[in-house]
Amino acid sequence: MSGLVRVRELLVGGGYTVAGVRELLGGVAGGALARDEIVPALRATRGGSPVEVLTRLFWLQVPVPADAIAADELVAAGLAEVSGGELRALLRVEPLEAVDGDGHAGYVVSDLKVRPGAGRVPADDHVVGTGGASGSLARLVVHSPVDNVLDLGTGCGVQAVHVAGRNPAARVTATDVNPRALELAAMSFALSGVDGAELRAGSLLEPVRGRRFDLIVSNPPFVVAPEEGPRFTYRESGMAGDDFCRRLVGEAAQHLEDGGYCQLLANWLHVDGVPWDERVGTWVDGCDAWIVQRDVQDPAEYAELWLRDSCEAGTPEYRARYDAWLDHFERRNVVGVGFGWITLRRSERPVVRVEELRHAVEEPVGAYAGEILDGLRKGAEFSTACGQFLAAADGLVQEQVGPPGAEDPERIVLRQTRRLRRAAGVGTVEAGLAGVCDGTLPLDPLLGAIAQLTGMDADQVRAHADAVLPELIADGFFI
């Protein structure tokens, strides 16, 4: 892999980073490329500078003149070939931006992207590069230091590269069922300076039985597909329904150090007559859990999404595969498929929260994901009889709703301007506490003062606080 170190120097020296490509393309071409339209990007990269040549070669996947860049290094590394005086990419090389948007995280190597209209579908062992899902997971992963990390279903290695960038001394283990994925992940690690990573073949947690980690991160093959075997290993496990995600969540605690995290993206079935949150909540064993549904698709939308993903729209097989997907869901009384995040933390006294959050939240979530779990536990343990100190969360604003000129509002809303940006309707007691709680005074005298100011009975105020504050603490309004 020593040749890849020289390639990394070539890429970085040529300005082939996310920031460099973003500046080169601008908003119009960059936006079009996000929609898989490359014509504006081709127009923006005609100048022949190193960043333009590398962007055309590895991102847009079009040939460049063989003498436009140091072709020998790229050919020797197996990333490109020379044919007819042109240099053609054999693999896709993408730069990664640090999760917080501050700096360059590294590079990942994947198979060439199959774009709509290419007239072919990905190979069975196709290894995908970065995308919306991998970016979402990278922004979810906790920022707390880790010494020992497992990237389960590593693919091209993107999650391991991100985690290693924040934890340069961490021991990295990466697994996948696809040997080709492990080969390309090794190239990604060499290009990104991730040294000493251990790569193991196998499904789920089988390759690491008996071992424990500070962090398990997984963008797993969560796609729920018809039972005809996994057609594409990068997205389908071959297991029935959402069993892969269910098993990973249920077995994670056995492979986590005390307080260790497991974080993954998942799909889960919405079965007619069964509350989805109750169903998914039963997956958890031995961990605190924060499970968030970010989107739901009906069976037809879901089938269309993944048929587009594999570039099968417009092919002769499209209708038959679409029909097979709908048959599969109909036989199992599936009325929808949810998509979301799962964060687990090994715990002896688990607290589980399953919820839906469709709105935009502050990114990266990993900067405060651990504190979300802390809040769930503190909320579960809260009692005004325990001499608590509370502080209102940073960035709270209060909204009062009612007719103009009315003495008392009809409704009071506390709204978070940061983090999960929740809103909660509250009463006078909670609104009063939000205005005075700064963590320096015990809660009990503050509740007494609110009782005096409002003319309420002090015991009633305390009873009300015991009833409503646990949820507000769990929701992050009070710390």
Side-chain angles (χ1 to χ4, degrees):
M1 294 290 179
S2 59
L4 288 171
V5 174
R6 294 192 294 274
V7 170
R8 181 174 71 222
E9 295 170 353
L10 171 67
L11 300 177
V12 174
Y16 187 58
T17 64
V18 172
V21 174
R22 183 180 293 136
E23 181 179 359
L24 169 66
L25 296 182
V28 173
L33 197 56
R35 301 188 298 272
D36 273 329
E37 296 289 349
I38 70 169
V39 173
L42 289 172
R43 292 172 60 86
T45 56
R46 294 180 292 191
S49 68
V51 66
E52 289 171 300
V53 171
L54 290 167
T55 299
R56 291 175 75 89
L57 178 66
F58 287 127
W59 204 316
L60 306 183
Q61 301 175 186
V62 297
V64 299
D67 58 359
I69 201 77
D72 291 347
E73 299 282 2
L74 301 177
V75 171
L79 298 173
E81 65 177 0
V82 175
S83 176
E86 291 183 324
L87 184 65
R88 298 173 181 271
L90 296 175
L91 295 167
R92 183 175 176 85
V93 181
E94 296 173 85
L96 283 183
E97 187 175 38
V99 168
D100 57 7
D102 183 20
H104 175 63
Y107 295 93
V108 290
V109 180
S110 62
D111 282 318
L112 296 176
K113 186 170 185 177
V114 180
R115 292 194 168 95
R120 62 187 179 92
V121 301
D124 293 351
D125 62 351
H126 182 81
V127 179
V128 297
T130 62
S134 62
S136 177
L137 179 58
R139 292 188 295 273
L140 174 67
V141 173
V142 292
H143 289 188
S144 52
V146 294
D147 295 323
N148 194 359
V149 58
L150 169 64
D151 183 3
L152 188 154
T154 189
C156 66
V158 58
Q159 302 304 325
V161 170
H162 276 299
V163 174
R166 292 194 301 272
N167 302 270
R171 290 167 290 158
V172 174
T173 302
T175 67
D176 207 289
V177 297
N178 182 0
R180 180 168 178 75
L182 296 177
E183 293 173 7
L184 298 190
M187 298 178 75
S188 299
F189 298 158
L191 277 179
S192 303
V194 179
D195 298 323
E198 179 183 3
L199 294 102
R200 292 192 170 198
S203 180
L204 273 169
L205 291 156
E206 286 297 332
V208 293
R209 290 296 178 199
R211 294 174 58 183
R212 291 190 174 186
F213 301 88
D214 301 313
L215 172 66
I216 299 172
V217 60
S218 181
N219 184 6
F222 54 69
V223 174
V224 181
E227 293 174 350
E228 54 183 32
R231 296 185 60 230
F232 306 107
T233 57
Y234 71 86
R235 73 182 195 188
E236 300 162 14
S237 69
M239 295 184 187
D242 48 21
D243 275 2
F244 189 98
C245 295
R246 177 186 61 80
R247 288 184 56 185
L248 177 54
V249 169
E251 296 175 16
Q254 304 168 33
H255 295 274
L256 291 174
E257 300 286 1
D258 291 340
Y261 288 88
C262 174
Q263 296 184 278
L264 64 144
L265 301 183
N267 275 180
W268 41 76
L269 298 178
H270 286 226
V271 179
D272 192 23
V274 181
W276 75 270
D277 51 345
E278 294 180 13
R279 181 174 178 274
V280 177
T282 64
W283 294 358
V284 181
D285 184 21
C287 289
D288 293 330
W290 180 41
I291 300 173
V292 180
Q293 182 165 271
R294 295 291 282 165
D295 192 19
V296 183
Q297 292 183 314
D298 66 40
E301 290 175 313
Y302 192 79
E304 291 163 15
L305 169 67
W306 295 110
L307 287 167
R308 285 195 302 271
D309 172 79
S310 53
C311 297
E312 294 180 88
T315 66
E317 298 82 11
Y318 178 77
R319 287 189 178 181
R321 295 202 182 282
Y322 197 153
D323 200 42
W325 230 306
L326 297 184
D327 279 345
H328 179 75
F329 288 142
E330 187 174 308
R331 286 194 300 269
R332 288 154 184 78
N333 295 319
V334 173
V335 295
V337 183
F339 170 83
W341 315 320
I342 299 179
T343 293
L344 309 171
R345 183 170 65 189
R346 185 175 176 180
S347 171
E348 294 184 359
R349 295 174 293 120
V351 177
V352 178
R353 162 71 72 87
V354 185
E355 63 179 327
E356 185 168 48
L357 295 175
R358 297 287 195 102
H359 59 267
V361 300
E362 184 178 3
E363 299 283 7
V365 179
Y368 56 89
E371 294 174 38
I372 298 295
L373 290 177
D374 292 341
L376 297 179
R377 173 155 302 285
K378 293 294 185 182
E381 297 172 346
F382 174 80
S383 170
T384 57
C386 296
Q388 303 275 6
F389 287 72
L390 284 187
D394 290 341
L396 282 189
V397 296
Q398 179 177 307
E399 300 172 358
Q400 297 188 173
V401 181
E407 184 174 343
D408 296 314
E410 292 180 356
R411 188 160 62 99
I412 303 173
V413 176
L414 290 180
R415 190 178 300 278
Q416 300 167 354
T417 61
R418 298 194 55 216
R419 296 196 168 183
L420 295 182
R421 297 172 179 156
R422 302 183 192 270
V426 298
T428 305
V429 173
E430 307 94 287
L433 287 174
V436 297
C437 282
D438 61 3
T440 63
L441 293 173
L443 180 60
D444 192 64
L446 294 176
L447 292 173
I450 289 174
Q452 282 189 321
L453 288 171
T454 60
M456 300 171 66
D457 178 79
D459 289 337
Q460 288 182 330
V461 169
R462 291 185 180 87
H464 180 75
D466 272 322
V468 301
L469 285 179
E471 184 172 356
L472 290 173
I473 293 168
D475 283 349
F477 288 92
F478 292 95
I479 300 169

